[in-house]
Amino acid sequence: MKIQLSEHFTYSKLLRFTLPTIAMMIFTSIYGVVDGIFVSNFVGKTSFAAVNLIMPFLMILGTLGFMLGAGGSAIVSKTLGEGDKDRANRYFSMIVYLALICGITLSVIGWCFIRPASILLGADESMLGDCVLYGRIILIILPAFILQNIFQSFLVTAEKPHIGLALTVIAGVTNMILDFLFVVLFKWGVAGAAIATGISQIVGGVIPFVYFLRKNTSTLRLTKTRFEGRVILKTCTNGSSEMLSNISMSLVSMLYNFQLMKLAGENGIAAYGVIMYINFIFTGVFFGYAIGSAPIIGYNYGAANHSELKNIFKKSLCSIAAASILLTSLALILSQPLAKIFVGYDSELLALTCRGFRIYTLSFLIMGFNIFSSSFFTALNNGAISAIISFLRTLVFQVFPVLLLPVAIGTDGIWLAIVVAELFALAVSVIFFIKKKNVYHYI
């Protein structure tokens, strides 16, 4: 039975509405992890380290999709809550077309700068070739990747989260099958992994584009539109937290790699890569819930339904608390088996990875609340607060611990930096929740 944004949400209904998006984010993380497994086990840890070294640069270019998706869906869902479907469709169409044009432009820029970027990030002779090769193949498909990120948000706003899940599963299975064919059977190395990823992103980005271009049963459709600078500015402001979050995480990943290269060499970068892959799976639950619940929050904000805002806010905090405890427990139990999948062939690297991940796992107790708080204010069309939380959490609060803690406790300090950052970010989130409660009436 279809659940509409205008309904009253019980715990059961909230879970059913957000579950497809949670599953979508988890599956997206899993099929991203598959790339790492194939490269690490069938190409080698040097190539695996090269892919992880260049990935932050590629993710920075792809952040446009996260920004326009999160910021745009907040505006579109608010407009739907105000009862103006035609205007909502016009905004939706303008944002998607703009993303496509910008994606093509960024693809060309990235292609030109991929080699100097690889060198700047610390790639040595053994890694440089794989960094450039993998990066250029991914950059060809960058517009599709940006569209994929946008539609992950807009399919929820269109009340079709199950379509987003289905597309993610299809894209993921495509990636896994092609990884096996191109990397294992055809032995194309990192090029094979990049081509497999690129084709899967075409599936995830182009199919929903065609779906919205045609007449459909959702609340949204791509139509004729016109450029409205005010709406684009508001979209970018709303979604700036998601863009800042992804850019900051990429920049911090570069810093982590730099520190690990000094303290643990190639093994350190490989271990961090494994931890990030596993981390994406677990945090996919938090990001999935944030994306899935945002249109509900935006709709009720636009409709001035304060009682339902209070209901969603309270149930969200309780749900995140339960998920945080469960995920942390699972991560601690599964740390060694999961690490073995990637680097079981190297006992020294396995030990380093397991120890690092067990320390890093403590952050799962806290980060869900910070991810939700940033998304919550984005949905309320307050991009400034959302951006402040994201910027502090993903960059400012991580830079100093990752630079200072290793001086005192060595490599363990690098893994502990994220826990310290999340604690400081939680304090900021609580302050904003209290400060803005009478403005938005969610408490």
Side-chain angles (χ1 to χ4, degrees):
M1 187 177 181
K2 182 180 176 181
I3 301 174
Q4 296 182 322
L5 297 174
S6 56
E7 295 184 33
H8 170 69
F9 282 81
T10 60
Y11 277 110
S12 173
K13 194 173 290 185
L14 184 60
L15 179 62
R16 282 189 288 127
F17 188 83
T18 58
L19 193 58
T21 315
I22 293 170
M24 177 178 71
M25 293 304 294
I26 292 173
F27 202 83
T28 299
S29 301
I30 289 173
Y31 85 71
V33 165
V34 170
D35 261 4
I37 293 173
F38 277 105
V39 172
S40 181
N41 286 279
F42 295 98
V43 186
K45 68 179 181 181
T46 300
S47 294
F48 180 58
V51 170
N52 289 315
L53 197 67
I54 197 59
M55 190 59 73
F57 175 75
L58 301 173
M59 288 303 297
I60 285 175
L61 295 179
T63 53
L64 179 75
F66 295 109
M67 178 183 71
L68 295 179
S73 64
I75 287 179
V76 171
S77 60
K78 179 177 179 290
T79 307
L80 288 171
E82 292 168 347
D84 196 337
K85 186 176 179 180
D86 289 339
R87 186 159 55 95
N89 276 312
R90 194 171 72 244
Y91 291 167
F92 165 63
S93 303
M94 175 182 60
I95 292 165
V96 171
Y97 298 150
L98 177 66
L100 184 59
I101 294 169
C102 291
I104 295 170
T105 305
L106 288 172
S107 180
V108 174
I109 293 171
W111 179 280
C112 296
F113 287 96
I114 190 70
R115 179 173 288 274
S118 300
I119 295 170
L120 185 64
L121 291 173
D124 56 25
E125 275 306 311
S126 64
M127 294 183 193
L128 184 58
D130 282 340
C131 286
V132 174
L133 179 61
Y134 185 89
R136 281 187 169 162
I137 293 172
I138 294 296
L139 284 167
I140 293 172
I141 316 298
L142 184 66
F145 176 61
I146 289 173
L147 287 178
Q148 182 182 33
N149 292 332
I150 280 181
F151 289 130
Q152 283 179 343
S153 295
F154 275 121
L155 280 166
V156 181
T157 306
E159 298 177 345
K160 297 290 183 179
H162 59 285
I163 294 180
L165 174 59
L167 286 170
T168 301
V169 171
I170 293 169
V173 171
T174 301
N175 189 37
M176 293 174 190
I177 293 172
L178 293 180
D179 265 328
F180 178 76
L181 286 174
F182 297 161
V183 178
V184 181
L185 295 185
F186 297 169
K187 301 189 186 303
W188 289 354
V190 295
I195 293 169
T197 297
I199 292 174
S200 72
Q201 289 171 356
I202 290 173
V203 172
V206 175
I207 291 179
F209 183 83
V210 174
Y211 171 79
F212 283 117
L213 202 57
R214 302 174 54 148
K215 187 176 181 180
N216 61 72
T217 58
S218 78
T219 55
L220 296 176
R221 187 182 175 189
L222 290 171
T223 61
K224 290 182 179 179
T225 187
R226 64 177 185 272
F227 183 82
E228 297 185 49
R230 178 186 58 82
V231 177
I232 291 299
L233 180 61
K234 184 65 175 175
T235 296
C236 294
T237 304
N238 281 345
S240 61
S241 61
E242 278 67 24
M243 183 184 72
L244 281 173
S245 176
N246 282 278
I247 290 177
S248 298
M249 284 191 291
S250 297
L251 292 173
V252 167
S253 291
M254 296 174 189
L255 181 58
Y256 271 75
N257 284 331
F258 178 77
Q259 288 286 76
L260 285 163
M261 195 70 175
K262 288 196 303 182
L263 292 170
E266 188 179 282
N267 274 2
I269 294 178
Y272 180 64
V274 173
I275 292 170
M276 286 299 96
Y277 278 124
I278 301 172
N279 167 68
F280 292 151
I281 296 174
F282 284 88
T283 57
V285 175
F286 298 131
F287 282 110
Y289 183 83
I291 294 171
S293 61
I296 305 171
I297 296 163
Y299 182 93
N300 284 288
Y301 170 58
N305 189 346
H306 298 153
S307 63
E308 189 60 20
L309 264 182
K310 294 175 185 176
N311 173 56
I312 295 297
F313 181 74
K314 178 183 176 181
K315 285 182 169 59
S316 293
L317 293 184
C318 293
S319 300
I320 290 167
S324 299
I325 296 170
L326 177 61
L327 290 175
T328 303
S329 302
L330 279 175
L332 288 170
I333 294 168
L334 298 175
S335 58
Q336 186 168 22
L338 289 172
K340 266 188 174 180
I341 296 173
F342 289 89
V343 293
Y345 55 82
D346 188 319
S347 58
E348 182 183 348
L349 178 54
L350 177 63
L352 177 64
T353 304
C354 287
R355 181 173 178 82
F357 185 59
R358 283 169 184 154
I359 298 172
Y360 192 98
T361 289
L362 299 176
S363 65
F364 295 162
L365 288 169
I366 314 162
M367 71 167 60
F369 296 102
N370 295 325
I371 291 169
F372 173 74
S373 65
S374 177
S375 173
F376 184 73
F377 284 108
T378 296
L380 293 174
N381 282 249
N382 193 326
I385 290 179
S386 180
I388 290 170
I389 294 171
S390 288
F391 182 68
L392 292 175
R393 170 183 168 260
T394 57
L395 185 62
V396 176
F397 290 154
Q398 286 202 57
V399 168
F400 294 106
V402 83
L403 288 174
L404 299 176
L405 288 177
V407 176
I409 55 178
T411 308
D412 285 351
I414 296 179
W415 315 128
L416 192 61
I418 181 68
V419 183
V420 175
E422 293 293 352
L423 279 170
F424 281 116
L426 180 62
V428 173
S429 295
V430 170
I431 289 170
F432 277 122
F433 277 147
I434 295 172
K435 188 175 180 180
K436 294 296 179 180
K437 63 185 176 67
N438 294 326
V439 176
Y440 298 109
H441 310 287
Y442 49 78
I443 298 177

